[in-house]
Amino acid sequence: MASTLQDRSLGQELSPADDGDHAVDGAFIFRDNKLVNATVNATNMITDNEPSCTSREMAELATQAERETRREGGYGDGPGVIDVGDQLEVMCGPLLNYKGMSNTTTSATMWHGSVLVVTKPGQRLPPELTLRHLGPQSRDTSGAQDLPNGAINHHRDLRRGQDPQPVQDRHVHGVKLYEDPVKAFWHFALYLPLQSYEARWTYSIANMRYLSGAIARTSYSHTFVVPSTSQSMHVMFHSCNGFSIGTDEDAWSGLALWNDVLRSHERKPFHVMIGGGDQIYNDGVRVDGPLKAWTTIGNPRKRRDYPFDEELRTACDLYYFKHYVEWYNTEPFASANGIIPQVNIWDDHDIIDGFGSYTDHFMKCAVFRGIGSVSFKYYCLFQHHIPPPKSTYTTSAPQTTESQGIDGTGADPAQLSDAFVFKQQSADPCFIIGDAPGPYVAQKSHSLFMRLGARLAFVGIDARTERTRHQVNYPETYDLIFQRVRSELSSAAAGPSKITHLIVLLGVPIAYPRLIWLENIFRSPIIGPIRFFSKRFGIAGDLFNKFDGQVDLLDDLDDHYTARQHKHERKQLILSLQALAEEYNVRVTILGGDVHLAALGRFYTKPKLGVPVEQDHRYMANVISSAITNHPPPKAVADLLARRNKIHHLDHHTDETLLKIFNKDPGTSTKTANFNKVTMPSRNYAILSESNDTSNVSAVNGVSYPNGHATNGTQPADQAQANSTKEPGKTNDGHSPLHFGEENAGTQHPAASGIYEGDGKGGLDVCFKIEIDGHDREGRTQGYGFSIPALKITKAKVHGT
């Protein structure tokens, strides 16, 4: 096993024999050893200590290596800058990503990931990363030692019968994804074998020096944890990691909840953290950025016709880059980035508030298409560690305004005159690439599929690239996604580890109270006079946005799957997921964010049809976790949504509603009305793990819990019904618990601790970590839990009921 890692450089092509049919064998690897040999030869000569090797000769040799790289590997000649210093001057990073697994049908399962650092341009040599295996993850944190960036270095504590398999250190040379006169992005591909035990790995990058700090380090280690071959991943989910314009960030204690994430990670390490969109808020580009002057143009037609020329493109490019660097260097978010592997999809704030949901004629204006393209560039680099398009949209180069086939938009000589863009040979296997570019971003959607350990799988739907006011995704994109998922489920079913739970990530909730009545008001004739007085006298000026003059909240309402114009698309998506669940006997759970509060929606077969939840393929929970950083909505808004929590009927078989999970407000705070048990307006994140038998657990959150209470929903349906909290004489209609895993949902549920680990039964424990006090800089939280049962369809079940 060790031999598959030892001495493998990025110049050596991986093959299916090495890392499986789904190996990342073309994403960041040169297919010609000539490039690597040239670089290594130059490296050897540059590092020669002979006195005759002058600084000038070193620079010439580095330039030769750089020319070889550019000729073989990408577009553009780069900035022509050579730094002959010995240190790697880092602006941002390292950022750790998870890319998926390969060889999952054998005992030689491989974990794939990547590390990204952003440096000054002109590094004379490719930076080098060392990847080291540290052995099993200790269960006891009492002897833990602090590592940089909040990591935990446990002393070796082997569990009985689990001797570590020897894995030699691997040295990985960085691949340059992008470079211009300001910065360079370096990618390190990580491949490591899963062991029979949960394992710790550490990586370090030699000679790093942070430009923002005074302390120089020769190495900097970061430790992360991967599951065993038989273990599903311990998952953290978050969304809305930023602040809306005008928010008093200091009053809300900044990124306080990331302190709690790191504390949770110390108690039980997260194997992956899923970003559900809005990982960064770039809305400031129109307030204090290069779009400020454009935003103040009063005439809508002039704003629509305004050119996105090279000058404006360059200014926006620099703004997005600087904002990413500033935000991703902000603690404690920066610490989590280096030690918990990330998986992300994007949403509107990663671009600009409401992108995709304004009127079509306005969304097609040059400025909106321009910032969509620029933000896609940095979304690729910072959040996915892949090379950006070779050029981004600008009206100064018409070839960049439309996609030109498989390679995206045409090349702009002005943009490539002093830049280098790595040419990717093929997409990472984790991506599901759309067939056609988006209507407002001249790039194709990037949805995701990957295994999350032994029995969990994940699909993240890119619901922003193709979005318009009237659609979320193209029908053809849904076809591609479901084809990929079916292929993966079929392949897994034939192997030793069947996928029992599919986690689906959407940018916004899909099981959520309806607000069509509010949409009707905002579109009614009454808004006309209000808009007139707003323009003439400034009355109710905050009600209307600065882009297309519509009611400011309308784009947020149009974003929702529950919006009137998305009703058909929403129904088809849910029915497709139900069919998938029934066909493959896999439980589907949906994640969603965006709304700045916590809630739990569920789809389920109508109770009168008598289908136990354990056999109900229609039962799908929608875990709504938002925001981890942005401020929550007012109490009145959350209470209004709670009053709108009706029983909705998707079709003749399926109902939906929110679960009463918030049995009390967190701590001693008052955040909701007494009647509101379904929406929690407080910052939060979620933890998901395979369910565990709780027979040995005696207390959770300080509350005693009887032995024998199972949280995986395998209790007989009649017993669960007998124990339900429904009122006497009333049918269980979904406002009451539907199965045993929903009994006592909230602070008294065993899953509220967030530290259970899987027993292979396929159920899922979910914990909402709710902030107690928004002014607490430590970000202390209270846990609220419930469980999702495994799906066990029996032959006796009547299909279609």
Side-chain angles (χ1 to χ4, degrees):
M1 181 70 68
S3 63
T4 62
L5 291 180
Q6 185 180 8
D7 296 330
R8 176 183 287 163
S9 74
L10 285 172
Q12 294 173 298
E13 179 175 315
L14 298 178
S15 68
D18 289 325
D19 285 346
D21 295 336
H22 300 294
V24 187
D25 62 351
F28 300 102
I29 301 165
F30 295 111
R31 297 188 179 273
D32 190 341
N33 285 332
K34 180 171 61 177
L35 163 63
V36 175
N37 292 336
T39 305
V40 170
N41 290 337
T43 301
N44 293 337
M45 296 179 71
I46 291 170
T47 55
D48 191 350
N49 292 323
E50 295 274 344
S52 60
C53 190
T54 65
S55 296
R56 182 175 179 179
E57 291 171 333
M58 291 165 63
E60 290 176 352
L61 290 169
T63 301
Q64 177 184 350
E66 282 293 294
R67 286 172 180 168
E68 192 71 23
T69 299
R70 290 160 187 154
R71 182 164 60 249
E72 295 290 338
Y75 307 96
D77 291 328
V81 177
I82 297 295
D83 184 353
V84 297
D86 293 329
Q87 292 185 318
L88 185 69
E89 297 182 298
V90 175
M91 297 181 181
C92 185
L95 310 177
L96 177 63
N97 268 27
Y98 172 60
K99 295 286 189 177
M101 294 164 55
S102 62
N103 280 1
T104 54
T105 58
T106 72
S107 60
T109 304
M110 298 292 293
W111 182 99
H112 299 263
S114 61
V115 170
L116 181 87
V117 292
V118 186
T119 72
K120 285 179 59 178
Q123 298 294 325
R124 63 184 178 89
L125 297 175
E128 183 179 270
L129 177 146
T130 299
L131 179 64
R132 177 169 298 170
H133 178 228
L134 297 181
Q137 164 65 19
S138 171
R139 298 296 176 189
D140 179 16
T141 61
S142 60
Q145 297 177 339
D146 290 335
L147 281 178
N149 277 14
I152 295 296
N153 181 18
H154 301 277
H155 294 297
R156 182 178 296 265
D157 182 14
L158 303 182
R159 283 171 285 170
R160 187 175 301 172
Q162 293 186 338
D163 296 327
Q165 300 179 25
V167 180
Q168 297 189 20
D169 291 356
R170 179 189 174 196
H171 301 284
V172 182
H173 289 288
V175 170
K176 187 185 299 179
L177 301 181
Y178 177 83
E179 186 181 34
D180 65 23
V182 176
K183 69 277 188 183
F185 289 79
W186 294 92
H187 166 277
F188 305 87
L190 306 184
Y191 311 96
L192 54 92
L194 294 187
Q195 307 292 332
S196 60
Y197 50 82
E198 185 179 24
R200 292 184 302 118
W201 293 76
T202 186
Y203 66 92
S204 60
I205 301 173
N207 300 320
M208 282 180 57
R209 182 176 74 87
Y210 285 99
L211 295 177
S212 58
I215 300 176
R217 297 180 176 90
T218 56
S219 66
Y220 206 90
S221 298
H222 299 260
T223 299
F224 62 101
V225 178
V226 299
S228 69
T229 52
S230 61
Q231 184 181 16
S232 294
M233 290 189 178
H234 187 50
V235 180
M236 177 265 192
F237 167 58
H238 69 93
S239 68
C240 299
N241 181 42
F243 288 104
S244 298
I245 296 297
T247 302
D248 187 340
E249 299 181 16
D250 187 64
W252 283 97
S253 304
L255 288 78
L257 237 59
W258 285 100
N259 288 316
D260 195 69
V261 171
L262 292 176
R263 285 193 296 270
S264 296
H265 183 64
E266 290 178 8
R267 293 178 66 196
K268 180 182 179 184
F270 295 115
H271 300 126
V272 66
M273 64 178 182
I274 296 174
D278 300 338
Q279 278 69 251
I280 184 172
Y281 275 52
N282 286 315
D283 307 334
V285 70
R286 68 173 177 85
V287 176
D288 53 14
L291 296 189
K292 181 177 181 180
W294 172 78
T295 305
T296 59
I297 297 175
N299 188 316
R301 176 168 294 182
K302 289 184 178 179
R303 284 204 305 274
R304 288 197 302 268
D305 296 340
Y306 199 88
F308 195 75
D309 57 18
E310 179 60 18
E311 181 180 0
L312 184 55
R313 186 207 65 80
T314 301
C316 287
D317 188 285
L318 186 60
Y319 176 89
Y320 277 87
F321 168 70
K322 285 186 174 180
H323 193 219
Y324 259 104
V325 168
E326 178 185 10
W327 192 250
Y328 275 65
N329 279 337
T330 302
E331 292 291 357
F333 178 50
S335 293
N337 286 332
I339 61 176
I340 309 175
Q342 306 168 59
V343 174
N344 299 317
I345 65 168
W346 69 341
D347 207 34
D348 58 337
H349 292 284
D350 296 279
I351 311 170
I352 196 171
D353 185 21
F355 188 93
S357 291
Y358 297 114
T359 55
D360 182 69
H361 68 275
F362 184 67
M363 283 300 312
K364 288 181 177 176
C365 77
V367 170
F368 258 49
R369 296 187 67 190
I371 60 171
S373 187
V374 169
S375 60
F376 183 82
K377 169 183 177 178
Y378 289 109
Y379 170 61
C380 288
L381 287 164
F382 279 97
Q383 298 198 43
H384 287 305
H385 304 183
I386 60 176
K390 54 182 173 292
S391 297
T392 60
Y393 179 104
T394 171
T395 51
S396 298
Q399 67 270 29
T400 66
T401 61
E402 299 294 340
S403 178
Q404 298 183 3
I406 192 171
D407 291 329
T409 61
D412 177 13
Q415 294 183 49
L416 293 174
S417 62
D418 56 3
F420 167 76
V421 181
F422 182 74
K423 184 177 181 181
Q424 196 170 12
Q425 300 295 331
S426 60
D428 281 1
C430 64
F431 288 119
I432 307 169
I433 308 296
D435 281 338
Y440 314 128
V441 180
Q443 304 297 333
K444 296 178 180 180
S445 62
H446 283 57
S447 297
L448 297 164
F449 181 92
M450 55 191 66
R451 290 285 290 264
L452 299 182
R455 289 164 296 278
L456 300 183
F458 168 80
V459 59
I461 297 180
D462 179 351
R464 190 54 54 178
T465 304
E466 298 171 359
R467 178 181 288 271
T468 71
R469 177 167 276 190
H470 299 286
Q471 75 172 22
V472 180
N473 286 101
Y474 300 143
E476 296 81 5
T477 298
Y478 287 120
D479 291 342
L480 289 172
I481 291 171
F482 280 97
Q483 287 170 12
R484 172 67 180 275
V485 173
R486 279 186 161 81
S487 173
E488 297 283 354
L489 292 176
S490 297
S491 177
S497 186
K498 177 179 178 291
I499 294 172
T500 59
H501 214 118
L502 177 67
I503 297 174
V504 178
L505 175 61
L506 306 174
V508 296
I510 197 166
Y512 199 65
R514 307 296 191 268
L515 294 174
I516 293 177
W517 58 276
L518 192 56
E519 296 179 55
N520 292 336
I521 292 175
F522 288 159
R523 289 191 170 96
S524 69
I526 194 175
I527 293 297
I530 298 176
R531 184 182 290 109
F532 172 78
F533 283 107
S534 174
K535 289 182 178 180
R536 289 291 299 271
F537 307 110
I539 298 174
D542 291 339
L543 183 63
F544 302 95
N545 67 59
K546 304 297 183 182
F547 295 142
D548 62 355
Q550 299 293 322
V551 177
D552 193 39
L553 286 175
L554 199 54
D555 68 282
D556 292 314
L557 296 176
D558 286 340
D559 259 1
H560 282 225
Y561 283 98
T562 52
R564 177 171 42 197
Q565 61 269 28
H566 298 318
K567 185 177 180 179
H568 176 73
E569 184 175 352
R570 172 184 184 270
K571 182 176 180 179
Q572 289 303 119
L573 175 57
I574 293 301
L575 293 178
S576 296
L577 290 172
Q578 288 179 351
L580 196 73
E582 183 177 33
E583 181 179 354
Y584 291 95
N585 200 14
V586 60
R587 178 67 74 197
V588 175
T589 293
I590 303 170
L591 308 181
D594 182 73
V595 292
H596 301 173
L597 51 76
L600 179 66
R602 303 108 80 228
F603 297 93
Y604 52 91
T605 295
K606 292 181 178 181
K608 67 179 182 180
L609 296 177
V611 180
V613 169
E614 292 80 2
Q615 299 178 30
D616 184 8
H617 67 281
R618 299 186 184 95
Y619 180 87
M620 292 185 288
N622 184 187
V623 178
I624 303 165
S625 179
S626 169
I628 194 170
T629 297
N630 206 354
H631 65 86
K635 171 180 175 292
V637 173
D639 292 342
L640 175 62
L641 287 168
R643 290 196 181 278
R644 301 296 302 175
N645 182 36
K646 311 296 183 181
I647 302 291
H648 296 282
H649 309 294
L650 181 77
D651 58 15
H652 294 302
H653 301 114
T654 309
D655 283 353
E656 58 178 282
T657 193
L658 300 180
L659 174 68
K660 295 177 182 178
I661 187 173
F662 302 109
N663 57 302
K664 63 181 290 292
D665 286 339
T668 59
S669 61
T670 301
K671 296 181 182 290
T672 61
N674 289 334
F675 69 85
N676 182 5
K677 307 298 181 185
V678 296
T679 60
M680 179 55 67
S682 187
R683 296 191 293 186
N684 63 91
Y685 65 96
I687 300 174
L688 299 90
S689 291
E690 270 191 318
S691 296
N692 188 44
D693 184 357
T694 60
S695 58
N696 296 321
V697 179
S698 59
V700 176
N701 280 3
V703 179
S704 296
Y705 218 85
N707 288 342
H709 274 212
T711 65
N712 59 10
T714 56
Q715 190 174 9
D718 55 349
Q719 185 177 349
Q721 181 75 6
N723 291 335
S724 72
T725 57
K726 65 177 174 38
E727 297 180 26
K730 288 190 176 182
T731 303
N732 191 339
D733 61 1
H735 285 318
S736 301
L738 294 168
H739 60 89
F740 192 77
E742 292 182 357
E743 292 287 344
N744 292 318
T747 56
Q748 296 183 3
H749 195 282
S753 69
I755 60 172
Y756 288 108
E757 55 185 43
D759 59 2
K761 294 181 180 179
L764 201 66
D765 283 331
V766 179
C767 171
F768 287 103
K769 299 283 280 185
I770 305 294
E771 184 178 47
I772 296 173
D773 181 0
H775 303 294
D776 176 17
R777 294 193 175 276
E778 293 301 315
R780 295 176 180 87
T781 63
Q782 175 135 28
Y784 297 77
F786 80 105
S787 293
I788 301 169
L791 181 61
K792 300 182 184 298
I793 299 177
T794 64
K795 293 181 180 180
K797 179 182 180 298
V798 179
H799 293 271
T801 59

